[in-house]
Amino acid sequence: MANLSPFEIQARPNRLLMQAASCMLFVICMGLYMQTSVRRHHENPEDRVVPSLTQLAAGIHASVLEPAEEDDYIPADNASKWERFKHSMIVKDTISSGRRFLISLALLIPAVVLALHIGLYPWFGAFFMRFVLFFDKIVALSLLPILFIVFGIEEWSKIALIVIGVAPTMILDVTQMVKAVPQEQIVKAFTLDANNFDVAYRVVSRQIMPQVINSLRLNLKPMMLFLFAGEMIAASDGLAYRIAIMRRHMGMDVILPYVLWVALLLFLIDFSLRTLNRRMHPWFQA
Amino acid sequence: MKQMKKHLSRVVAAAAMVLTMASFAPQAKAETPTFTVGWSVYAGWNPYFYMQKSGILKKWADKYGIAIKVQRFDYAASLDSFVAKNIDACTMTNMEALDMPAAAGVDSTAIIVGDYSNGNDAVLTRNGLTFATLPGKPVMLVQKTVSEYLLERGMVLNGQQAQLNKLKLINTSDSDIVAAFLNNKGNQAVVTWKPLVSQIVADKSVKSIFDSSKIPGEILDLLVVRTELLNTPNGQKFAKAITGAWYETIQQVAAGQANAIKYSAAASGDSVDSYKEQLKTTALFSAPAAAVSFTNGPDLQKKMDLVRQFCFTHGLLGQGIKSVDDVAILYPNGTIQGKKDRVRFRFNSAYMQAAQLGKL
């Protein structure tokens, strides 16, 4: 008889039970949603706050197969599903948001390199450390009017918002990792005739790389938050732009699929970073 | 209301129990029905703040034996609460009344037509841009609101209807639109409302090329209640009390009474001067007679038709709505715009009329 006590550290539930337990909360959430939706539709058949399955299906259909309202593209009558999908609202929004996201991600690479230098070279530390510490505590969103002056209201202000919001935290985090590398290793490398750059790029950076990727994974969500904030403030396309527009007439039937889609995207990025980390650094345990 | 009734009956039951158990217990006081009105910052709605402060609201609520709470919201949040039925009445424009509660199946009735925007909303441009040269240039505005409506009406009235789909709109949050527009000379055009308009035209290089005084009576500011309330005795008392309180308040504001202006200005953190300037471009129906004749008049239907067509073509009535007639409007004379079995929004001038006749 399997031990079913939840407070049993030695418990070894079988695979089926484990799977069932891990699905439980999903099922409960969906059940609660359905119940609320049915109850609200019973009171008001046109309720939009908690859309029913048919409304959601229509919303998904509109986002995946119909072009965005502001687009000039009109699909031909015989256009294939793929053709329609390529010009759909969600693809257009994902591409524009995705571009902003990836550019910001790329801009974090120099930040990591800088952090490596700050942690390793005393002069860099003296020059940057205090400022980054200070800057890290600045709430980036409150600087928006300044960002608008410097970067305009188009793409760059949104990217800048993400980078300014996330980079200082990343820099501080990576600096800590660099400092945690045992001093003995660095001394040893010097005795083996390494120069300063060898130590930085071949001893320290190799070791901290898996931690850096993990730190990045943790920062994916703040990045997405800043991206959403930026797109909601001023934009003419993007995932958060669409959500902001839909909110004006309670288009929850489109908003909910969008929210789930963003969650899926984030999960996939996180998953691929994790897989990459495991492939590249099989020696790393954490 | 349903919940309230349940609550009420529970209180009554509990009170009855106490009374039977101890005959000397003091008479239990029946709970007074309570109603909540949501309002948001706008020249024509700020007086609700004064209405509550000055005790006018309490006076009228007491007269009808009910309690009325007035609560300030952000505009979008007030609409959300109204649609979710958390509040009983809410201030909104005719456009949002159609595309938020009515289109979401919450049958709504406008009982007070408070004013219309007579210059409060404006299209502002730099470098002498006109409607003819506007297409293709980025225009900053809060999309899917009266701002976009105003812009389209401006284009149409200036003969640029064919160019409508060439407009390049940038959805910009109203909390940042002033800073975002003024800080960069590259931004050419913006559509917004007062007091933001006043802050923007303080920059001398920006000119107003169109404002809502050219489309009088199309952007209406209403007090909307859920229709189901008006079918209950308590709901009718509420409608009478709030209408009475409104006209007493707004007449003080229109007469320029110092406290009325001061507190209405304070409601949005405006200075008295700025608030007075906003009132100049707000066509208040301070006399109920004016509101009644506007609401019962034939013009209203024509103007509402423009608004509902706009809402429909922009998908504001929702994905599931296939025809503009699916969200029908009922007017005081019994005319229905749209399908008879799908009336979702009503204009009711009965309470304003009662105020006019002094029967409240």
Side-chain angles (χ1 to χ4, degrees):
Chain A
M1 179 62 198
N3 194 337
L4 292 176
S5 163
F7 300 108
E8 179 58 67
I9 293 177
Q10 307 288 346
R12 295 282 180 275
N14 67 34
R15 215 180 144 74
L16 194 70
L17 278 178
M18 292 278 258
Q19 295 287 354
S22 64
C23 292
M24 197 72 95
L25 284 177
F26 287 97
V27 174
I28 291 176
C29 278
M30 278 191 269
L32 281 177
Y33 178 89
M34 288 304 300
Q35 196 224 349
T36 320
S37 171
V38 168
R39 190 170 48 80
R40 289 190 65 100
H41 278 82
H42 191 70
E43 276 178 22
N44 170 11
E46 289 158 45
D47 181 63
R48 288 207 208 154
V49 184
V50 191
S52 66
L53 285 186
T54 37
Q55 283 172 314
L56 277 179
I60 293 172
H61 185 270
S63 6
V64 176
L65 293 176
E66 314 257 333
E69 189 208 327
E70 71 273 9
D71 271 7
D72 292 332
Y73 171 81
I74 297 170
D77 281 338
N78 57 356
S80 66
K81 282 245 160 73
W82 172 244
E83 194 62 32
R84 282 168 186 270
F85 175 69
K86 269 199 307 190
H87 291 94
S88 72
M89 187 155 96
I90 205 163
V91 169
K92 177 189 175 192
D93 291 335
T94 308
I95 289 174
S96 33
S97 285
R99 214 184 53 213
R100 290 171 195 141
F101 195 84
L102 290 179
I103 294 178
S104 338
L105 210 55
L107 286 177
L108 285 179
I109 295 173
V112 171
V113 175
L114 177 66
L116 179 70
H117 288 227
I118 294 176
L120 212 50
Y121 302 132
W123 276 112
F124 270 84
F127 193 74
F128 287 108
M129 193 58 186
R130 276 213 178 133
F131 184 74
V132 175
L133 261 177
F134 158 76
F135 206 71
D136 180 52
K137 305 297 175 283
I138 299 287
V139 180
L141 269 178
S142 50
L143 292 179
L144 261 180
I146 300 178
L147 291 184
F148 284 139
I149 306 179
V150 182
F151 297 100
I153 52 162
E154 309 271 314
E155 299 301 286
W156 284 107
S157 59
K158 293 174 199 79
I159 293 167
L161 180 65
I162 303 176
V163 174
I164 291 173
V166 179
T169 321
M170 281 286 290
I171 292 178
L172 291 183
D173 202 15
V174 174
T175 310
Q176 286 306 311
M177 295 169 196
V178 173
K179 295 225 162 109
V181 173
Q183 192 62 31
E184 293 85 342
Q185 277 190 28
I186 296 168
V187 175
K188 182 76 181 173
F190 278 125
T191 63
L192 293 171
D193 199 23
N195 66 25
N196 285 310
F197 289 107
D198 288 335
V199 170
Y201 292 100
R202 297 175 66 183
V203 177
V204 177
S205 81
R206 291 280 172 86
Q207 281 190 65
I208 62 167
M209 196 46 74
Q211 287 162 275
V212 171
I213 292 180
N214 276 343
S215 167
L216 191 64
R217 284 173 53 201
L218 284 178
N219 275 313
L220 286 177
K221 189 144 173 205
M223 285 179 71
M224 199 51 113
L225 275 177
F226 282 116
L227 176 64
F228 265 48
E231 287 186 354
M232 282 195 180
I233 285 162
S236 48
D237 52 11
L239 294 161
Y241 163 82
R242 191 73 53 199
I243 291 177
I245 292 286
M246 287 296 164
R247 272 187 50 183
R248 286 239 230 295
H249 56 277
M250 287 226 166
M252 293 303 288
D253 51 343
V254 172
I255 294 180
L256 286 180
Y258 261 67
V259 170
L260 293 178
W261 171 239
V262 173
L264 179 70
L265 284 179
L266 274 181
F267 175 79
L268 287 178
I269 301 175
D270 185 57
F271 182 77
S272 50
L273 280 177
R274 195 174 61 185
T275 314
L276 184 80
N277 215 2
R278 220 185 278 147
R279 284 280 164 78
M280 276 170 60
H281 315 105
W283 45 267
F284 183 73
Q285 305 288 322
Chain B
M1 260 322 268
K2 205 185 271 173
Q3 259 168 337
M4 222 160 65
K5 260 189 208 150
K6 219 183 275 170
H7 189 61
L8 200 70
S9 63
R10 218 179 291 153
V11 170
V12 171
M17 213 146 74
V18 170
L19 278 177
T20 43
M21 281 196 314
S23 52
F24 53 82
Q27 183 80 41
K29 195 173 156 237
E31 203 170 285
T32 46
T34 306
F35 296 89
T36 310
V37 181
W39 66 277
S40 44
V41 167
Y42 174 71
W45 296 330
N46 286 3
Y48 281 96
F49 182 72
Y50 170 70
M51 183 199 279
Q52 185 189 29
K53 281 247 168 198
S54 61
I56 296 176
L57 181 65
K58 187 165 184 330
K59 188 180 87 187
W60 281 90
D62 287 348
K63 180 176 173 184
Y64 285 95
I66 56 173
I68 303 179
K69 279 194 297 184
V70 165
Q71 197 177 348
R72 175 162 65 190
F73 285 87
D74 280 349
Y75 188 46
S78 73
L79 295 170
D80 288 346
S81 302
F82 184 74
V83 174
K85 303 188 183 180
N86 291 330
I87 55 177
D88 303 293
C90 184
T91 56
M92 62 186 86
T93 69
N94 49 342
M95 185 169 144
E96 267 85 22
L98 265 190
D99 65 40
M100 293 286 282
V106 177
D107 196 322
S108 310
T109 304
I111 57 167
I112 301 177
V113 178
D115 67 272
Y116 62 82
S117 168
N118 195 21
N120 269 339
D121 300 80
V123 181
L124 311 169
T125 61
R126 277 202 172 98
N127 310 329
L129 225 58
T130 64
F131 279 107
T133 49
L134 200 56
K137 307 272 185 347
V139 183
M140 299 168 69
L141 78 174
V142 188
Q143 269 187 275
K144 312 291 179 199
T145 60
V146 290
S147 293
E148 192 170 339
Y149 177 78
L150 180 79
L151 178 66
E152 290 210 354
R153 290 287 291 144
M155 291 286 285
V156 171
L157 291 180
N158 286 279
Q160 301 296 326
Q161 190 153 19
Q163 305 263 33
L164 270 181
N165 58 356
K166 299 212 179 83
L167 285 175
K168 196 174 153 228
L169 306 181
I170 298 178
N171 183 46
T172 312
S173 154
D174 52 327
S175 49
D176 294 284
I177 200 163
V178 177
F181 181 76
L182 286 183
N183 286 336
N184 194 326
K185 301 281 177 230
N187 299 321
Q188 309 263 351
V190 62
V191 189
T192 186
W193 52 83
K194 282 192 181 174
L196 306 180
V197 167
S198 316
Q199 293 168 25
I200 293 176
V201 291
D203 180 337
K204 294 290 172 229
S205 66
V206 184
K207 292 272 173 290
S208 164
I209 59 167
F210 191 75
D211 67 47
S212 52
S213 67
K214 309 216 171 68
I215 51 167
E218 287 181 34
I219 302 175
L220 296 171
D221 302 304
L222 313 167
L223 180 75
V224 174
V225 302
R226 271 183 282 125
T227 305
E228 61 187 24
L229 274 188
L230 295 180
N231 299 328
T232 65
N234 278 336
Q236 286 163 8
K237 281 185 195 164
F238 162 65
K240 284 179 189 161
I242 193 81
T243 312
W246 171 255
Y247 283 108
E248 185 174 339
T249 308
I250 203 64
Q251 273 155 15
Q252 291 186 9
V253 172
Q257 207 214 61
N259 264 341
I261 299 279
K262 187 177 139 201
Y263 282 104
S264 300
S268 54
D270 280 319
S271 69
V272 168
D273 288 339
S274 154
Y275 185 67
K276 279 184 177 162
E277 196 234 322
Q278 292 169 45
L279 278 182
K280 272 185 208 151
T281 48
T282 310
L284 283 175
F285 292 118
S286 53
V292 169
S293 77
F294 178 82
T295 313
N296 291 348
D299 269 7
L300 178 64
Q301 296 178 29
K302 281 183 216 146
K303 294 177 199 262
M304 282 306 291
D305 193 44
L306 291 169
V307 175
R308 72 186 191 122
Q309 298 290 354
F310 173 87
C311 289
F312 179 67
T313 47
H314 285 267
L316 292 176
L317 300 181
Q319 303 282 354
I321 303 289
K322 298 290 175 233
S323 150
V324 64
D325 291 329
D326 277 349
V327 181
I329 309 169
L330 172 71
Y331 294 92
N333 64 4
T335 322
I336 293 174
Q337 220 164 32
K339 293 182 185 152
K340 283 196 170 46
D341 56 334
R342 296 199 48 104
V343 173
R344 293 291 177 270
F345 183 50
R346 300 151 201 266
F347 281 95
N348 184 339
S349 58
Y351 296 95
M352 295 183 284
Q353 213 146 22
Q356 180 189 357
L357 301 174
K359 285 189 177 161
L360 287 178

